[in-house]
Amino acid sequence: MKNTIVIGLLGPVLDDGTGIKRWDRWRPTIGLCQQEDLLVSRFDLLYQRKFSKLCDVIIEDIHNVSPETIVIKHEIKLENPWDFEEVYGVLHDFSKYYLFDTEKEDYLIHITTGTHVAQICLYLLTESGYFPAKLLQTSPSSEDICGKYTIIDLDLSKYDRIATRFKQEIKDDISFLKSGIETRNRQFNDLIEQIERVASNSIDPILLTGPTGAGKSHLAKRIYELKKLKHKLQGKFIEVNCATIRGDAALSSLFGHKKGAFTGAIQDREGLLRAAEGGMLFLDEIGELGLDEQSMLLRAIEEKCFLPVGSDKETSSNFQLICGTNRDLLLQVEKGKFREDLLSRINLWTFTLPGLKNRSEDIEPNLKFELDRLSQRNNIHINFSKEAFQHFLSFATSSEATWSANFRDLNGAVTRMATLSLNGRITIEIVKEEIKRLLSLWYKVKGCNEQDILIQILGEAKVKKLDRFEKIQLADVLSVCQKSKSISEAGRTMFAASRNEKKKTNDSDRLKKYLSKYSITWNSIQKIII
């Protein structure tokens, strides 16, 4: 068995007493050596020189109650036992030079004696591993003058209830970052789990990348709110869209300016970096910043100080930084449009948010989330009819839906359908109109052409498997169908020459058979509106 070693401070108040009556009351240092089931092999007793006489009395008393316990005195120099920095420094030095032998000895840190400051410092040094020990807490007892003791193991992983509680807190934090949405996409869920760990344990910059509308701004705000709930920051959330500021306006907006610094600077301006003091600064579309602003930002990140425009006096701001971009910043560095040193500073933690098109299994929970949010905002319950919901969800998760603006498209679609709903009920007719509107929007944005229609109906994967001749032919057929009012009209156009040589025309049947080779229906073509 290992020897049990106790390290503790002499208690000049609780351990005090030199007369015979001292044995009539509980003294923690003596009491722990009187415990029948706790054999102390050695007691390392820390004391201040001015309490030397009391220390000698305590040592003699320990020998009387526990002759097998060896007591070693350690004088410590403390000017002010209530000065946290001084006490921590002294105890830290003691732990640093103490010769621990954990293979042969078990260590207990007695935290009952000493000032509250000393007790806190002993706890911190044990919790952080400077003392490879467990904590020992003693207290008086009405039944026994020796009192009682409790051993506290700070290895929290050994406590099932605490471990379970920590796991639940992590789950709650992850759910908070996802706004309570029960997302199903594994890639996204793993990503949020990593972000939760970083947000909870790091103050370094975070870089969020991904397509426009993927939720970078919303996630940045949730990270800020999570950190604030955990009391890791106290200041404001300052959001800047770097694409909206240029030149002097950018420098002034970010870093502030002095009155008269340039034409129009009629008064001092604090600047957004200064406004973010103690809080979080979110620089969205950071790839749009000019090189001058990038240079000043790098210094502000590294040194927490900068020069406002027109000032010869530095100002400081200690903020946490999140950046967002839909650009390839490495490519921007190669082009000379983004500073390599700034990129290396902000991409310690880089997370790429997938687009909605790549998270089709998350469309349903996000759809319900948008409905709930609109219901709360409008103070009316909004919902789909069963048929309408299935129709919209089928479209939303199909290859037809590009979701080019990601969640902005989804939010807009839900808002429009909810607004047009009667008494909060979204019907199949409303859904069909919205689908046409979305398809029209996406094609207008893309500048629709025959190849666009081909990709939209078949999907890129299937199109890639077609020979070039098939692509050209099929794209032309789809274009004709798209411009025709009926399948018969399209058939007549497609087979205008050959139909004259036939005794019996069957244009629509011929066209249906041709389209069926590619699993295309007339209705699927008509959903695409140019």
Side-chain angles (χ1 to χ4, degrees):
M1 292 180 61
K2 295 182 181 181
N3 292 328
T4 298
I5 312 301
V6 173
I7 299 174
L9 291 160
L10 176 69
V13 176
L14 293 178
D15 285 332
D16 192 22
T18 56
I20 192 65
K21 290 186 177 181
R22 69 182 185 275
W23 294 102
D24 296 334
R25 65 183 184 84
W26 171 72
R27 290 178 292 166
T29 300
I30 300 300
L32 71 86
C33 293
Q34 292 177 292
Q35 303 297 324
E36 292 184 1
D37 57 347
L38 179 64
L39 178 60
V40 179
S41 299
R42 186 176 74 245
F43 199 125
D44 288 289
L45 188 60
L46 284 63
Y47 73 101
Q48 294 173 263
R49 176 172 291 184
K50 61 183 178 180
F51 301 118
S52 295
K53 290 184 178 180
L54 174 61
C55 184
D56 291 337
V57 171
I58 292 298
I59 293 173
E60 182 179 349
D61 288 346
I62 290 176
H63 287 327
N64 288 330
V65 299
S66 181
E68 63 272 29
T69 301
I70 299 172
V71 181
I72 299 179
K73 297 194 299 182
H74 301 273
E75 181 183 338
I76 57 174
K77 295 181 180 180
L78 280 177
E79 296 295 329
N80 182 3
W82 293 95
D83 184 311
F84 188 92
E85 184 176 6
E86 181 185 3
V87 174
Y88 187 90
V90 168
L91 294 176
H92 178 267
D93 286 343
F94 177 81
S95 70
K96 190 175 177 182
Y97 295 107
Y98 188 94
L99 298 178
F100 292 101
D101 187 355
T102 55
E103 291 186 2
K104 296 180 180 179
E105 298 175 335
D106 286 328
Y107 299 93
L108 298 174
I109 304 299
H110 191 206
I111 58 170
T112 305
T113 52
T115 62
H116 292 323
V117 169
Q119 293 169 11
I120 292 171
C121 291
L122 286 171
Y123 169 86
L124 292 174
L125 288 165
T126 305
E127 191 273 337
S128 58
Y130 288 101
F131 286 115
K134 298 176 182 178
L135 299 179
L136 176 65
Q137 176 73 57
T138 55
S139 58
S141 171
S142 58
E143 300 175 356
D144 192 340
I145 195 66
C146 300
K148 54 187 178 180
Y149 72 95
T150 303
I151 294 176
I152 306 166
D153 188 349
L154 291 179
D155 184 358
L156 300 182
S157 64
K158 295 180 179 179
Y159 298 94
D160 291 339
R161 290 184 181 179
I162 295 177
T164 300
R165 183 174 179 178
F166 284 160
K167 289 178 181 178
Q168 185 58 48
E169 286 181 0
I170 292 173
K171 287 182 179 179
D172 292 343
D173 291 347
I174 291 172
S175 179
F176 181 86
L177 289 177
K178 297 191 295 183
S179 300
I181 303 172
E182 293 297 326
T183 54
R184 304 162 185 169
N185 182 272
R186 182 173 180 178
Q187 177 190 359
F188 181 75
N189 287 340
D190 289 346
L191 181 73
I192 295 298
E193 188 174 337
Q194 289 183 347
I195 291 175
E196 186 277 333
R197 288 200 294 270
V198 172
S200 298
N201 300 304
S202 174
I203 61 173
D204 292 305
I206 293 174
L207 177 61
L208 302 177
T209 67
T212 299
K216 298 186 290 292
S217 179
H218 177 74
L219 180 57
K221 185 68 179 292
R222 299 298 284 184
I223 292 173
Y224 162 76
E225 291 170 348
L226 179 63
K227 281 178 169 285
K228 195 164 186 179
L229 283 172
K230 290 177 172 290
H231 306 290
K232 294 183 179 295
L233 44 75
Q234 301 296 324
K236 299 177 182 178
F237 178 77
I238 304 296
E239 181 174 355
V240 186
N241 187 333
C242 299
T244 64
I245 51 178
R246 291 284 190 278
D248 290 342
L251 291 172
S252 173
S253 296
L254 293 172
F255 307 104
H257 65 245
K258 300 296 291 182
K259 178 181 178 180
F262 52 85
T263 303
I266 58 176
Q267 61 184 9
D268 290 351
R269 181 176 183 178
E270 181 182 53
L272 296 171
L273 267 68
R274 180 60 190 164
E277 162 69 28
M280 180 172 287
L281 177 68
F282 175 49
L283 296 179
D284 197 11
E285 304 303 344
I286 190 173
E288 305 299 325
L289 275 184
L291 293 174
D292 289 341
E293 296 85 65
Q294 292 177 33
S295 178
M296 290 184 66
L297 177 62
L298 176 63
R299 183 165 182 264
I301 295 171
E302 293 181 337
E303 302 179 18
K304 303 300 181 183
C305 61
F306 51 89
L307 276 173
V309 178
S311 175
D312 55 3
K313 184 178 179 181
E314 288 186 337
T315 188
S316 63
S317 181
N318 187 12
F319 55 86
Q320 294 185 33
L321 178 67
I322 297 185
C323 301
T325 183
N326 62 359
R327 289 183 176 273
D328 184 340
L329 294 184
L330 282 174
L331 182 60
Q332 293 295 97
V333 169
E334 292 177 6
K335 292 180 178 180
K337 295 183 178 180
F338 201 84
R339 292 181 63 105
E340 185 176 11
D341 48 4
L342 177 58
L343 178 58
S344 65
R345 189 66 185 84
I346 66 174
N347 75 343
L348 176 63
W349 299 109
T350 301
F351 302 100
T352 301
L353 275 62
L356 188 57
K357 180 72 175 177
N358 298 319
R359 292 175 54 193
S360 59
E361 62 268 61
D362 285 344
I363 290 177
E364 182 176 356
N366 275 282
L367 184 59
K368 292 178 178 178
F369 172 78
E370 294 292 347
L371 280 176
D372 290 342
R373 188 165 61 173
L374 278 172
S375 296
Q376 292 177 7
R377 190 179 73 181
N378 299 333
N379 199 28
I380 182 175
H381 181 68
I382 302 170
N383 212 337
F384 288 88
S385 69
K386 185 176 180 180
E387 182 185 16
F389 182 78
Q390 291 301 326
H391 190 74
F392 186 79
L393 186 62
S394 177
F395 161 75
T397 56
S398 71
S399 60
E400 291 181 89
T402 64
W403 300 114
S404 56
N406 292 292
F407 288 96
R408 292 175 185 171
D409 277 343
L410 183 63
N411 175 265
V414 175
T415 301
R416 286 189 292 268
M417 289 188 290
T419 302
L420 294 174
S421 65
L422 183 62
N423 296 323
R425 188 169 179 79
I426 301 172
T427 63
I428 186 69
E429 290 76 22
I430 292 174
V431 165
K432 288 180 178 179
E433 284 300 314
E434 180 57 31
I435 290 174
K436 289 182 179 179
R437 186 181 291 109
L438 286 171
L439 292 172
S440 177
L441 172 67
W442 292 331
Y443 275 91
K444 285 178 181 177
V445 170
K446 290 174 68 178
C448 182
N449 55 43
E450 294 176 355
Q451 292 299 315
D452 288 332
I453 298 173
L454 187 61
I455 293 173
Q456 190 63 17
I457 292 178
L458 289 180
E460 290 187 17
K462 289 184 179 180
V463 172
K464 288 180 179 179
K465 295 180 180 179
L466 298 178
D467 291 331
R468 183 172 182 178
F469 172 79
E470 287 181 282
K471 292 179 185 178
I472 295 172
Q473 184 183 59
L474 181 56
D476 182 61
V477 172
L478 294 177
S479 178
V480 171
C481 292
Q482 181 55 210
K483 297 171 184 176
S484 302
K485 295 180 180 179
S486 67
I487 192 170
S488 298
E489 180 184 332
R492 287 194 296 272
T493 304
M494 290 302 307
F495 308 113
S498 60
R499 72 192 305 269
N500 294 326
E501 299 176 2
K502 295 181 177 292
K503 293 180 180 180
K504 185 178 180 180
T505 58
N506 55 353
D507 303 324
S508 59
D509 287 341
R510 291 175 67 187
L511 181 54
K512 283 181 182 178
K513 289 179 181 178
Y514 175 79
L515 294 173
S516 67
K517 288 169 52 180
Y518 303 95
S519 299
I520 300 173
T521 65
W522 174 257
N523 288 336
S524 66
I525 301 172
Q526 293 307 299
K527 289 179 181 178
I528 308 297
I529 298 178
I530 300 177

